[in-house]
Amino acid sequence: MTASTAAAGPRPGRGGPARLLVLLRRSAEAWRGFAGVCEFVDCLCKALLCVLKGWQAIAVLEGARAELLCKEETRKAACERKRKETVEEVMAEYTRLCPPCTAHPDGAEEEDPDEDRAADAA
């Protein structure tokens, strides 16, 4: 083979079918069994949607886990505070259940007229 024939490329009839087979095989490997671009894009879209749904599920689970941990820590902190500050907690509960009387803001209560009648009758 001379330099002029090598530069001209492969001769027709020789190597053509083999080259075509190689190109066909590379084409088939490129699509990995998909008939065309549409099928490949559809499969890719389904795979991406599946991944997205998986990440959404993970985000929901992580959020629920964080909420449970926060509630547990809050419950433990409240329990520990009640253990350390028992008197304050009892007084706070008493104040919540029996609020101070607002009828006598200065603290001076009027005498009960029923008490006077009971004392007079005796």
Side-chain angles (χ1 to χ4, degrees), residues 18-84:
R19 183 176 171 100
L20 180 62
L21 288 173
V22 168
L23 290 176
L24 286 175
R25 181 172 179 184
R26 285 184 184 168
S27 174
E29 287 176 357
W31 294 108
R32 299 283 183 204
F34 294 101
V37 175
C38 289
E39 290 82 10
F40 175 75
V41 171
D42 286 342
C43 182
L44 182 63
C45 184
K46 287 178 185 177
L48 291 174
L49 284 174
C50 184
V51 168
L52 178 65
K53 287 179 184 178
W55 280 109
Q56 287 174 337
I58 289 171
V60 168
L61 291 173
E62 287 291 325
R65 179 178 172 258
E67 183 179 358
L68 288 174
L69 289 174
C70 181
K71 286 181 178 179
E72 180 66 19
E73 289 173 6
T74 303
R75 187 192 65 76
K76 285 181 180 179
C79 187
E80 185 64 29
R81 182 176 47 86
K82 288 176 183 176
R83 277 192 205 125
K84 289 182 178 180

Side-chain angles (χ1 to χ4, degrees), residues 113-122:
D114 291 333
E115 285 182 17
D116 292 335
R117 282 190 219 136
D120 290 339

